[in-house]
């Protein structure tokens, strides 16, 4: 089964960012800077590289800077042009999303990831879509979602980017129960959100990149109507995904690359170092400073 083109992506960006207070008191956590770009821009660029044309942000109060960031800033363009700052101008143009391609919808209450994706239902319609959690950034040669879209072209259905985690950490992630594996693809027969290490069916965890078929929206709607709460008292995306197992192709995808959890202070610092070291323009200087420090 080959997959219908994935044109739309949902970015759940309603979270409060309490772990980064006071930095996130008046600024969304998705605007935290990883080297020289806000986190959200990495997710948007990853989506764009995978062929995504429409970007749907699920926001909450105080997230207006996200809207401004992807807007056109004509005054700034004129100033940079007048000063001959072409490199800065080019960098700025990459932040733009054309009119009619960026949509915002609010998650009015923090009821969980499943609820957040459900909030985007009217903008999604009846076609496959991607979900990207911007807290997780992936350092890789080929952007993670692009790798997934390539694999999806052959197998279709639903696909979750996965990686192995230490067993003691399974209670932080959605975990797969795998029927069989073929190269990078794992056929999924079960999914559990944040199982205790002793109850986890495997150590293969969902990293926060999804390709989903539109049927998930009905399952999410059922759970929202029933107020079906799962792990952490939240309406979970993982719980709704269970309803698609056995009905549509469903794969875990072992991508190439390394994930960094920028929702966590240490992970965020580690990501800054790793991304700086991956940049030819910064690598040598950053390495020199790091060697002095440690
Ligand atoms: C969410 C998902 C979980 C996934 C994780 C990846 O959990 O529910 O399945 O493994 O993202 O970061 P959260 O971290 O929002 O609690």
């Amino acid at each position: 089964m080959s997959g219908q083109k994935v044109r739309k992506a949902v970015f759940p960006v309603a979270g409060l960012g309490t772990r980064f207070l006071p930095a996130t008191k008046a600024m969304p956590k998705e605007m935290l800077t990883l080297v020289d770009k806000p986190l959200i821009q990495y997710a948007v660029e990853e989506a764009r590289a995978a062929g995504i044309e429409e970007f749907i942000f699920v926001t909450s109060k105080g997230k207006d800077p996200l809207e401004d960031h992807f807007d056109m800033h004509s005054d700034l363009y004129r100033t940079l042009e007048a000063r001959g700052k072409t490199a800065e101008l080019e960098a700025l143009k990459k932040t733009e999303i054309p009119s009619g391609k960026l949509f915002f919808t609010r998650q009015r209450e923090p009821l969980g990831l499943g609820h957040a994706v459900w909030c985007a239902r009217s903008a999604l319609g009846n076609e496959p879509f991607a979900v990207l959690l911007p807290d997780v950034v992936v350092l890789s040669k080929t952007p993670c979602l692009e790798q997934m879209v390539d694999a999806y072209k052959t197998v279709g259905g639903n696909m979750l980017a996965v990686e192995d985690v230490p067993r003691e950490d399974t209670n932080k992630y959605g975990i797969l129960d795998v029927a069989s594996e073929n190269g990078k693809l794992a056929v999924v027969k079960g999914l559990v959100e944040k199982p205790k290490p002793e109850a986890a069916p495997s150590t293969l965890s969902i990293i926060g990149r999804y390709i989903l078929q539109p049927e998930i929206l009905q399952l999410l709607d059922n759970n929202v109507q029933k107020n079906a709460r799962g792990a952490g008292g939240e309406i979970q995306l993982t719980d709704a995904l269970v309803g698609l197992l056995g009905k549509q192709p469903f794969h875990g995808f072992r991508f190439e690359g390394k994930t960094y959890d920028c929702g966590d202070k240490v992970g965020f610092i580690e990501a800054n170092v790793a991304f700086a070291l991956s940049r030819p323009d910064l690598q040598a200087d950053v390495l020199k400073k790091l060697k002095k420090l440690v």
Side-chain angles (χ1 to χ4, degrees):
M1 179 184 167
S2 66
Q4 189 191 341
K5 184 167 166 37
V6 187
R7 297 188 315 114
K8 301 185 178 189
V10 180
F11 300 79
V13 289
L16 285 175
T18 45
R19 278 188 272 180
F20 283 94
L21 283 169
T24 49
K25 185 183 174 198
M27 179 184 77
K29 65 171 173 165
E30 297 78 14
M31 290 301 292
L32 287 170
T33 309
L34 178 52
V35 184
D36 55 5
K37 287 189 290 194
L39 284 174
I40 187 66
Q41 198 180 325
Y42 287 87
V44 164
E45 285 179 4
E46 182 182 334
R48 208 180 245 152
I52 297 297
E53 296 160 16
E54 295 186 14
F55 304 80
I56 303 149
F57 285 22
V58 182
T59 66
S60 60
K61 209 168 161 30
K63 299 282 182 169
D64 297 354
L66 294 172
E67 196 162 350
D68 291 340
H69 183 74
F70 293 100
D71 204 351
M72 195 163 122
H73 195 333
S74 322
D75 294 349
L76 189 53
Y77 286 10
R78 271 194 293 275
T79 311
L80 291 174
E81 239 156 24
R83 293 184 186 169
K85 298 213 176 262
T86 38
E88 288 81 354
L89 203 60
E90 282 314 305
L92 210 59
K93 286 194 171 157
K94 283 196 190 142
T95 63
E96 271 179 40
I97 299 179
S99 295
K101 298 292 184 188
L102 177 57
F103 304 90
F104 294 85
T105 184
R106 276 201 181 191
Q107 185 183 26
R108 300 193 306 171
E109 294 171 277
L111 297 179
L113 180 59
H115 180 262
V117 174
W118 173 82
C119 290
R121 65 200 179 284
S122 297
L124 290 169
N126 192 29
E127 57 180 289
F129 61 93
V131 179
L132 296 96
L133 308 187
D135 278 0
V136 178
V137 285
V138 186
L139 190 54
S140 55
K141 252 193 232 145
T142 306
C144 182
L145 190 65
E146 189 182 341
Q147 297 178 40
M148 293 172 74
V149 164
D150 277 349
Y152 165 84
K153 279 179 190 155
T154 313
V155 293
N158 303 278
M159 191 178 287
L160 317 177
V162 292
E163 67 181 358
D164 274 305
V165 290
R167 186 160 276 275
E168 63 265 28
D169 287 344
T170 58
N171 60 357
K172 296 183 191 158
Y173 303 97
I175 299 289
L176 270 58
D177 192 357
V178 172
S180 62
E181 297 211 42
N182 183 6
K184 291 178 185 168
L185 289 169
V187 175
V188 184
K189 65 171 177 185
L191 290 163
V192 200
E193 182 66 15
K194 304 196 172 75
K196 290 193 180 121
E198 60 276 19
S202 77
T203 55
L204 212 49
S205 78
I206 301 170
I207 68 149
R209 298 292 184 273
Y210 308 75
I211 294 175
L212 302 176
Q213 296 303 308
E215 288 74 18
I216 189 63
L217 297 174
Q218 186 57 53
L219 297 169
L220 285 170
D221 194 51
N222 297 345
N223 286 355
V224 170
Q225 300 316 327
K226 283 188 294 196
N227 193 21
R229 307 293 181 107
E234 296 187 337
I235 297 172
Q236 295 288 357
L237 178 56
T238 305
D239 295 344
L241 288 173
V242 171
L244 294 176
L245 294 171
K247 298 192 175 125
Q248 298 178 339
F250 207 127
H251 293 94
F253 178 75
R254 290 179 189 265
F255 59 97
E256 275 168 30
K258 178 157 171 42
T259 54
Y260 295 90
D261 178 9
C262 292
D264 166 85
K265 268 178 215 169
V266 175
F268 180 62
I269 293 163
E270 187 193 8
N272 265 287
V273 175
F275 274 71
L277 289 176
S278 78
R279 289 257 302 252
D281 57 331
L282 296 172
Q283 189 180 56
D285 288 345
V286 172
L287 199 59
K288 223 189 286 168
K289 301 272 182 201
L290 278 175
K291 279 186 178 157
K292 264 195 205 160
L293 270 177
V294 295

